[in-house]
Amino acid sequence: MLGSLPSFARLEAELGKLPGIGGKTATRLAFHLLRTSESEVAALADALLEMKRNVRLCEKCFHVAEDRLCGICAAEQRDQRLLCVVEQPQDLLAIERSHSYPGLYHVLHGVLSPLDGIDPEDLKIPQLEQRLAVEPFDEVIIATNFSVEGEATALYLARLCQQRGVPASRLAHGIPSGSGLEYIDAGTVQHAVSGRRTL
Amino acid sequence: MLGSLPSFARLEAELGKLPGIGGKTATRLAFHLLRTSESEVAALADALLEMKRNVRLCEKCFHVAEDRLCGICAAEQRDQRLLCVVEQPQDLLAIERSHSYPGLYHVLHGVLSPLDGIDPEDLKIPQLEQRLAVEPFDEVIIATNFSVEGEATALYLARLCQQRGVPASRLAHGIPSGSGLEYIDAGTVQHAVSGRRTL
């Protein structure tokens, strides 16, 4: 059946390359698109091409941008003396959604992972060193994830900041809002206890 | 941030229109596509447009096809006296994967649902009546799903077949392979008991 449907099978194969989309989901999406109007499918295809044409990385912080600088680096009202280092643009967006951070960002596009052959030069770490040398930051907040690689990267970056004489900090590690202690893993509880604050 | 990224936001919005893809998944996919090479994104966009250009419905059974007739209707070795009626092309593919059915198909593209305003004329039921009048079927297997609407549609189609004097049958309803009785819902067990076979 699908042997006689090369275009359909090709779309299924292309959709199946997307992360988190397995064979069955790809088939379901392809059938959905088959029922979708031609103009809507054309809109999706055009959005794909337009994004690829227009979106690039900010020259300064490596967040996604459609101009030379991203909206945050271009915004003069942001605190130019605060820098937050994140793994991915998605992490930056999560912090922005919290409306809790007024400063600038630096997106590493990954974490150090010597076993996978990912060294500082494979990330935007040389560019971070460059910024630390030129921009007068009062504090660098290291917001890599609390995974093994994220923690190791944070340590590496903390040493970099130390060498430059810039104070570095790490996001607080503890119990998330709305969680009951009984459902939280032991490692997080340990961090929450050792990081307790006086009231 | 994404306010300054109209192309990125547009792709997110277009991806979010796909079934089963919520806001967070759309963002994740858009970021994945951002990291993907231009040629791979172009291949996906082209596959979308090509599918829409080439794939249509078989003129006879309404399965997906890239020619006037689908691969099954065009295959002379299929049993022309057996007809299996399914809701969607996906159902047809599931039956084909079972390698248990040698006949032809008719795809309704939905089920009767008077509450949602879906009448026989909104499905490929008039075309089925036409086929029953012209093609000499020995048996019609009604393979709509075992949902309320699927069962009602099966009843409606069974009556149509009766009027034409064509024997109609329904797929067996019972315990699926590899399942333990304790995990099966009561309705299915009830069907399995009432539909038991002598050994």
Side-chain angles (χ1 to χ4, degrees), chain A residues 55 61 63-67 69-73 75 78 89 91-99 101 103 105, chain B residues 1-9 12 31:
Chain A
V55 178
C61 77
H63 183 38
V64 289
E66 296 198 14
D67 290 308
L69 292 181
C70 73
I72 295 170
C73 287
R78 303 285 304 204
D91 302 324
L92 182 161
L93 295 177
I95 295 176
E96 284 297 298
R97 273 196 300 275
S98 75
H99 298 290
Y101 176 71
Y105 290 94
Chain B
M1 298 59 35
L2 287 186
S4 60
L5 289 168
S7 312
F8 192 85
E12 271 186 297
F31 272 116

Side-chain angles (χ1 to χ4, degrees), chain A residues 1-2 4-8 10-11 14-15 17-21 27-38 40-57 63-66 70-72 78 88-90 92-93 96, chain B residues 1-2 4-8 10-11 14-15 17-21 27-38 40-57 63-66 70-72 78 88-90 92-93 96:
Chain A
M1 295 62 33
L2 288 185
S4 60
L5 289 168
S7 313
F8 192 85
R10 188 186 153 208
L11 178 60
E14 288 292 338
L15 290 169
K17 288 180 190 170
L18 296 173
I21 295 193
T27 304
R28 195 167 50 81
L29 288 176
F31 272 117
H32 168 82
L33 290 162
L34 183 68
R35 288 191 301 270
T36 307
S37 76
E38 192 156 352
E40 281 176 79
V41 174
L44 173 57
D46 188 55
L48 282 163
L49 297 172
E50 192 192 271
M51 184 278 288
K52 214 58 204 170
R53 210 158 41 227
N54 293 350
V55 178
R56 42 184 164 165
L57 297 182
H63 183 38
V64 289
E66 296 198 14
C70 73
I72 295 170
R78 303 285 304 204
Q88 296 292 355
Q90 294 95 304
L92 182 161
L93 295 177
E96 284 297 298
Chain B
M1 298 59 35
L2 287 186
S4 60
L5 289 168
S7 312
F8 192 85
R10 189 185 155 211
L11 178 60
E14 288 292 338
L15 290 169
K17 288 180 189 168
L18 296 172
I21 296 194
T27 304
R28 195 168 49 82
L29 288 177
F31 272 116
H32 168 83
L33 290 162
L34 182 68
R35 287 191 301 269
T36 306
S37 76
E38 193 156 351
E40 280 176 80
V41 174
L44 173 57
D46 188 58
L48 282 162
L49 297 172
E50 191 192 271
M51 184 279 288
K52 214 57 203 174
R53 208 159 44 227
N54 293 352
V55 178
R56 43 185 164 167
L57 297 182
H63 182 39
V64 290
E66 295 197 15
C70 73
I72 296 170
R78 303 284 304 204
Q88 296 293 354
Q90 294 94 305
L92 182 160
L93 295 178
E96 284 297 298

